[in-house]
Amino acid sequence: MKKIFYIVLDGLGDLPIKELNNKTPLEAALTPNLDSLAQRGKTGIVYPVAKGIAPESDIAVISLLGYDAHKYYTGRGPLESFAEGLIIADGNLALRVNFATVGTDGKTIKDRRVGRNLTIDEAASLSKEINAKVTLSSATFEFKNTIGHRGVLVLRGMRSKLSGWITNTDPAYEREGAFGIAKEKFENLVAESLPMPGFENSSEAKEAALLLNEFTQKSHKVLNASATNKRRVAENKLPGNIILSRDAGDHLPKFPRIESLYNVRFGSFVQMPVEKGIALLTGLDVIDVPSSSGHLDVDYAIWAKVALDSIKKYEGIYIHIKGPDEPAHDGDFNKKKEVIELIDKFFFADLLLQLDMNNTIVAVTADHSTVCAIKAHSADPVPLLISGGNVKPDGSLSFSEKAARLGSIGELLGRDIMPLLVKSAQD
């Protein structure tokens, strides 16, 4: 069986941008290594979850690993909380959260991510204050910062179990069933959590929403008074003075292990808690990689080396690279283009230099499109390339959204990719 490198570039897809001569950042980027993979392989387009869904990374990654997200997904909160070592019993309420900035009215959001410059030490200090100084009327809780402005929250009811069928306080995301969906337009106000439609009479959903709103208000008072935030304001930085919550769930998903589905042992290296949680719950070994140096040229070269060293232990490796997503959320199309070029130059160049492509399958795709024009995820499809082994070239000249629409793979759903890769590795 041939080795599999399954590489997902977070938020890679986009739409044409006038300032880039009506090209997407991927189309405008100089990517000789990705283009060479496309030229020796075949391409197509992927709807990561389904047509019409602008997915968050969690449901997209679940789908890309071959699972039906509609069947298994229980919310992003449980996945990230589990990855951070928090215990989630059935009936506990787990949420993904952001530190954010609100004005003096306590409701108008100035920045959903605290200017993207909240340090780990600052976030840890704020988290410590929340855990020490906030007391809820009928629940205990654990709050933990993760990466940058991100964190997780687990609420444990004293009177009853809590239901995850509640709405977000983060206005940038809504719930469609269990799925979290990014909004293209939203009002910049902290939302009140409510039971979701169909659960208005659920005492467990009512209690969960009340407790989340109580936590939001009480933690805001603590954060406003925090010396850490006062110091940030004195330094002309935004304070992290509100917690925005989303993607609640009240139990962990129960995935069949990936090895039992495909008879393939996979390792993974991932950057974000949600991907780590999915990897652990689906039975992918998590490969340790050095912490980011802050220099992408260094980091991507190290990741290529880790991938080459690690593949000896596995039939396949799932690699999730966050790079393109963050500048797209900031609307910075030039930075997104630059990051794509760095991935090509320092990750793919180093990787391909040492691969025996006759005995290797390389797949590259994305978990979703993050469109610079709207600074958000969209329902647009993403490109896919599959190369190596006995894959016959289909005449694709480059790797891009436009070129992939002409490829022989055609249109796929995310959950179709993994079976296709395993079959290609066995041919």
Side-chain angles (χ1 to χ4, degrees):
M1 182 174 176
K2 300 167 188 70
K3 300 286 190 177
I4 300 170
F5 285 88
Y6 188 3
I7 301 158
V8 173
L9 306 181
D10 201 304
L12 178 70
D14 215 310
L15 295 176
I17 295 167
K18 181 181 177 183
E19 292 87 347
L20 295 177
N21 295 320
N22 289 318
K23 295 180 178 180
T24 68
L26 175 59
E27 290 166 359
L30 183 65
T31 54
N33 297 291
L34 284 165
D35 292 344
S36 71
L37 281 171
Q39 289 161 13
R40 75 163 287 158
K42 55 187 181 180
T43 64
I45 62 170
V46 176
Y47 291 91
V49 177
K51 287 186 178 181
I53 290 180
E56 290 190 62
S57 288
D58 50 6
I59 57 174
V61 171
I62 289 168
S63 300
L64 292 174
L65 290 175
Y67 297 92
D68 182 349
H70 293 85
K71 180 177 180 181
Y72 293 106
Y73 186 67
T74 64
R76 184 166 184 156
L79 293 171
E80 295 208 19
S81 300
F82 176 78
E84 292 299 315
L86 302 187
I87 295 171
I88 302 119
D90 288 359
N92 292 166
L93 186 74
L95 302 108
R96 156 69 195 274
V97 306
N98 276 15
F99 286 99
T101 306
V102 290
T104 54
D105 63 358
K107 291 195 67 79
T108 303
I109 300 169
K110 292 184 173 182
D111 193 300
R112 289 185 56 258
R113 303 178 181 90
V114 202
R116 284 200 189 277
N117 60 10
L118 191 68
T119 68
I120 291 175
D121 288 343
E122 287 172 332
S125 175
L126 294 174
S127 296
K128 186 176 180 180
E129 287 198 66
I130 288 172
N131 284 306
K133 297 178 180 178
V134 173
T135 302
L136 300 180
S137 57
S138 59
T140 60
F141 72 90
E142 284 184 88
F143 183 93
K144 186 174 182 180
N145 63 294
T146 57
I147 296 174
H149 54 271
R150 305 167 185 89
V152 290
L153 170 65
V154 176
L155 298 166
R156 302 182 178 99
M158 296 175 183
R159 295 193 291 234
S160 69
K161 289 184 175 182
L162 303 176
S163 168
W165 294 105
I166 60 172
T167 61
N168 303 328
T169 65
D170 186 339
Y173 294 87
E174 62 185 337
R175 304 279 302 272
E176 290 186 11
F179 290 175
I181 304 294
K183 294 182 185 178
E184 291 191 9
K185 295 180 180 179
F186 56 90
E187 193 173 12
N188 256 322
L189 294 173
V190 180
E192 178 187 9
S193 182
L194 298 167
M196 288 181 64
F199 292 86
E200 296 92 343
N201 296 322
S202 163
S203 60
E204 294 179 356
K206 288 180 182 177
E207 179 79 350
L210 285 170
L211 283 167
L212 180 57
N213 293 328
E214 182 185 357
F215 173 85
T216 303
Q217 293 162 6
K218 288 184 173 179
S219 60
H220 170 58
K221 290 181 181 177
V222 168
L223 292 170
N224 248 353
S226 167
T228 298
N229 276 325
K230 289 178 179 178
R231 185 166 56 250
R232 283 182 61 85
V233 171
E235 295 170 353
N236 291 318
K237 296 177 182 176
L238 294 170
N241 62 1
I242 195 77
I243 302 300
L244 300 179
S245 305
R246 70 180 199 256
D247 303 329
D250 55 34
H251 63 283
L252 288 170
K254 296 174 177 63
F255 297 106
R257 295 180 71 81
I258 205 159
E259 193 169 353
S260 70
L261 295 177
Y262 301 109
N263 198 29
V264 173
R265 188 175 177 220
F266 261 83
S268 66
F269 58 88
V270 294
Q271 293 176 264
M272 306 301 289
V274 65
E275 287 108 36
K276 182 181 178 183
I278 293 167
L280 292 170
L281 288 165
T282 57
L284 276 73
D285 286 355
V286 175
I287 300 165
D288 289 330
V289 292
S291 299
S292 174
S293 68
H295 301 282
L296 294 181
D297 54 343
V298 175
D299 293 342
Y300 292 151
I302 290 172
W303 292 354
K305 184 179 186 305
V306 171
L308 289 162
D309 291 343
S310 300
I311 194 65
K312 300 166 189 173
K313 307 174 193 172
Y314 303 100
E315 283 80 50
I317 297 182
Y318 174 84
I319 300 167
H320 195 109
I321 299 178
K322 182 72 174 170
D325 185 59
E326 289 196 353
H329 275 295
D330 293 335
D332 190 342
F333 51 82
N334 283 317
K335 182 66 174 178
K336 182 173 182 179
K337 171 179 169 287
E338 178 189 338
V339 169
I340 293 167
E341 291 178 338
L342 290 170
I343 292 170
D344 186 86
K345 183 176 181 180
F346 294 102
F347 178 79
F348 282 102
D350 287 14
L351 184 73
L352 298 179
L353 196 62
Q354 300 185 56
L355 282 187
D356 174 7
M357 288 299 293
N358 291 322
N359 292 298
T360 307
I361 300 296
V362 177
V364 185
T365 191
D367 53 350
H368 50 75
S369 290
T370 306
V371 176
C372 291
I374 60 172
K375 303 181 182 181
H377 300 184
S378 76
D380 297 286
V382 297
L384 165 71
L385 73 78
I386 300 176
S387 190
N390 296 323
V391 175
K392 290 181 169 56
D394 65 0
S396 295
L397 297 177
S398 64
F399 182 57
S400 70
E401 297 91 342
K402 186 176 181 180
R405 290 182 180 277
L406 305 174
S408 64
I409 297 175
E411 292 184 6
L412 295 179
L413 296 180
R415 66 175 180 265
D416 299 328
I417 298 176
M418 184 66 90
L420 184 59
L421 297 186
V422 173
K423 183 179 183 303
S424 298
Q426 292 170 339
D427 285 346

